[in-house]
């Protein structure tokens, strides 16, 4: 199925220039319907392709990522139109679990205030599932799109050698987890997303006035309660950035702070965290876009982790982690015009420097593509 994508859904477009039409093909891959933007515009001369994977927000679907796909791919094509093109950019979107073409039970997409008693389970399950689906698609996407490339005269064989991701809200959460989960995804834009799922959901329990939340004990008693069962705590500690690095323990005020641990224990914890950063995030780039007035995913819920993360990236320079955090004054829970402009420009820079990143990874023996 092929069509044209233009200005529609998913982002705040007032104040932005019109979007140029770009090709859209919906291709079944590994049991998922994947919207692929910009495939028809790839020049025959292109041999290397970057994939921008788009993760949509809760209660939306893959179609809501049309405009940001068109803006990113269109911007890349325009910047290289007068140059010899050796690298192309395509954007891909697929439905989150229990959304769009994969809808199973709509009430599960609601929050506690909307009567969904398993809000925490549904949220984390969807996020982890999205990351799992993404890993499968990374494995097979080239074989679906370019299995016969290079067979026609004058056409280069195309390979996908570079991946990055952009997600909004729920998609921002899944991009955070994806960056920690798969070494092939080299850069991520987390728009109004949170790297500390347990803190975000605990705060939401407080605001929802759940009986399992106590102002006196906070997360200490909520985590492990019926609204956030022990098995869910274990799952979050395996998949969520804060959980991976700190478990349910508080985040120290700085990357070098021992917290409440003895010096020897703190040193060992720090060594382990450094090792995790080196193994999972070496050379990766992050753009974090938060709305200062966001009430659904308040910046405060990820503030402690992000502060530590930026300090750690600066401290462990050998990991070459880049963290660009931007908070937008007066912006709530939306992908604002300023965020869109910044995200497109940032994606262009990442793709422009893809070859250097790939070379650096190969030099360090870390490339898994």
């Amino acid at each position: 199925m092929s069509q044209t994508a233009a200005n529609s859904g998913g982002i705040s477009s007032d104040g932005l220039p019109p979007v140029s039409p770009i090709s859209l093909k919906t291709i079944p891959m590994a049991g998922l319907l994947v919207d692929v933007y910009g495939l028809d515009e790839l020049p025959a001369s292109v041999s290397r392709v970057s994939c921008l994977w788009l993760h949509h927000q809760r209660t939306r679907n893959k179609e809501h990522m049309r405009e940001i796909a068109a803006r990113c791919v269109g911007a890349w094509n325009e910047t290289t139109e007068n140059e010899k093109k050796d690298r192309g950019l395509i954007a891909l979107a697929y439905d989150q679990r229990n959304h769009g073409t994969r809808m199973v039970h709509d009430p599960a997409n609601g929050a506690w205030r909307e009567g969904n008693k398993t809000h925490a389970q549904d949220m984390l399950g969807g996020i982890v599932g999205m990351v799992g689906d993404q890993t499968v698609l990374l494995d097979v996407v080239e074989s679906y799109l370019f299995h016969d490339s290079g067979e026609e005269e004058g056409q280069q064989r195309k390979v996908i050698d570079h991946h990055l991701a952009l997600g909004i809200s729920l998609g921002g959460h899944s991009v955070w987890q994806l960056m920690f989960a798969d070494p092939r995804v080299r850069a991520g834009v987390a728009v109004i997303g949170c790297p500390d799922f347990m803190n975000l959901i605990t705060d939401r329990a407080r605001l929802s006035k759940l009986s399992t939340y106590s102002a006196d004990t906070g997360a200490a008693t909520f985590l492990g309660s019926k609204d956030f069962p022990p098995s869910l705590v274990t799952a979050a500690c395996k998949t969520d950035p804060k959980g991976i690095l700190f478990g349910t323990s508080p985040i120290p005020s700085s990357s070098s702070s021992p917290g409440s641990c003895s010096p020897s224990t703190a040193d060992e914890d720090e060594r382990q965290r450094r090792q995790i950063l080196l193994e999972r995030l070496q050379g990766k780039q992050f753009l974090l876009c938060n709305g200062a007035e966001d009430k659904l995913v308040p910046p405060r819920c990820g503030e402690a982790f992000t502060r530590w993360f930026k300090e750690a990236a600066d401290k462990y320079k050998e990991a070459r982690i880049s963290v660009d955090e931007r908070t937008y004054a007066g912006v709530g829970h939306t992908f604002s015009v300023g965020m869109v402009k910044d995200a497109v420009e940032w994606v262009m820079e990442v793709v422009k420097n893809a070859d250097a990143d790939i070379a650096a990874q190969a030099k360090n023996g870390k490339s898994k593509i």
Side-chain angles (χ1 to χ4, degrees):
M1 178 168 60
S2 181
Q3 52 186 299
T4 299
N7 218 2
S8 64
I11 66 176
S12 300
S13 57
D14 290 344
L16 291 170
V19 180
S20 300
I22 195 164
S23 65
L24 162 60
K25 292 184 177 180
T26 300
I27 301 173
M29 298 186 197
L32 296 170
L33 291 176
V34 181
D35 288 348
V36 185
Y37 297 87
L39 201 59
D40 290 349
E41 287 80 6
L42 286 176
S45 61
V46 159
S47 61
R48 296 166 297 165
V49 178
S50 294
C51 287
L52 171 61
W53 296 91
L54 303 170
H55 293 195
H56 67 79
Q57 56 269 64
R58 184 162 57 101
T59 75
R60 304 296 194 272
N61 55 39
K62 57 186 174 65
E63 283 75 20
H64 280 79
M65 305 307 285
R66 286 180 182 178
E67 186 173 335
I68 191 61
R71 288 191 181 280
C72 288
V73 176
W76 177 254
N77 290 343
E78 288 171 7
T79 59
T80 59
E81 64 182 355
N82 295 319
E83 303 171 10
K84 180 182 177 182
K85 296 180 180 178
D86 192 39
R87 175 169 298 281
L89 173 66
I90 58 176
L92 307 93
Y94 56 102
D95 286 323
Q96 295 258 14
R97 294 190 179 199
N98 200 42
H99 288 76
T101 57
R102 308 174 72 187
M103 178 62 71
V104 174
H105 184 57
D106 188 48
N109 291 327
W112 284 305
R113 286 178 171 175
E114 296 158 328
N116 180 16
K117 294 182 179 180
T118 56
H119 175 51
Q121 295 93 319
D122 292 329
M123 278 276 289
L124 186 63
I127 295 166
V128 174
M130 186 70 170
V131 174
D133 295 336
Q134 181 69 85
T135 297
V136 173
L137 290 173
L138 291 173
D139 289 338
V140 301
V141 61
E142 183 182 307
S143 69
Y144 276 102
L145 298 183
F146 304 126
H147 57 89
D148 59 352
S149 72
E151 293 185 356
E152 296 182 12
E153 186 176 351
Q155 184 186 71
Q156 286 277 5
R157 180 178 180 274
K158 292 176 172 54
V159 296
I160 295 173
D161 63 353
H162 184 239
H163 297 275
L164 58 159
L166 180 152
I168 308 169
S169 191
L170 178 68
H173 308 333
S174 57
V175 165
W176 262 112
Q177 292 200 12
L178 176 63
M179 291 289 282
F180 273 72
D182 200 301
R184 293 170 292 185
V185 182
R186 304 301 307 149
V189 184
V191 179
I192 50 178
C194 185
D196 189 345
F197 180 80
M198 288 183 282
N199 193 34
L200 174 66
I201 297 301
T202 299
D203 188 64
R204 198 166 290 179
R206 175 184 66 83
L207 295 171
S208 300
K209 299 182 174 14
L210 296 190
S211 62
T212 49
Y213 178 85
S214 167
D216 295 328
T217 55
T221 53
F222 173 70
L223 297 178
S225 71
K226 67 177 182 179
D227 291 315
F228 206 116
S231 60
L232 197 65
V233 176
T234 300
C237 289
K238 288 166 50 180
T239 59
D240 200 54
K242 188 270 181 180
I244 290 168
L245 287 161
F246 296 98
T248 58
S249 300
I251 300 170
S253 57
S254 72
S255 62
S256 58
S257 171
S260 59
C261 301
S262 65
S264 60
T265 301
D267 288 346
E268 178 59 27
D269 289 345
E270 185 174 349
R271 280 192 292 271
Q272 290 179 2
R273 291 176 189 130
R274 173 184 174 275
Q275 191 62 30
I276 289 170
L277 296 179
L278 286 169
E279 290 177 354
R280 297 192 181 216
L281 302 179
Q282 189 169 72
K284 293 197 176 191
Q285 302 172 73
F286 294 76
L287 175 62
L288 314 177
C289 298
N290 302 307
E293 306 304 321
D294 193 338
K295 301 293 190 264
L296 186 60
V297 183
R300 68 173 183 276
C301 291
E303 183 178 10
F305 178 86
T306 303
R307 180 177 59 247
W308 179 90
F309 188 48
K310 290 192 295 184
E311 290 178 357
D314 185 60
K315 179 178 181 180
Y316 304 125
K317 296 187 184 304
E318 66 274 25
R320 297 182 296 105
I321 301 168
S322 170
V323 186
D324 185 346
E325 182 188 23
R326 306 183 191 185
T327 300
Y328 298 77
V331 174
H333 192 71
T334 186
F335 192 9
S336 70
V337 168
M339 292 178 183
V340 173
K341 290 179 178 178
D342 289 350
V344 172
E345 290 176 2
W346 192 87
V347 167
M348 294 305 99
E349 283 300 308
V350 169
V351 178
K352 178 182 176 181
N353 294 307
D355 293 345
D357 176 56
I358 293 168
Q361 286 300 104
K363 183 177 180 181
N364 287 312
K366 294 288 184 180
S367 179
K368 301 291 182 69
I369 296 177

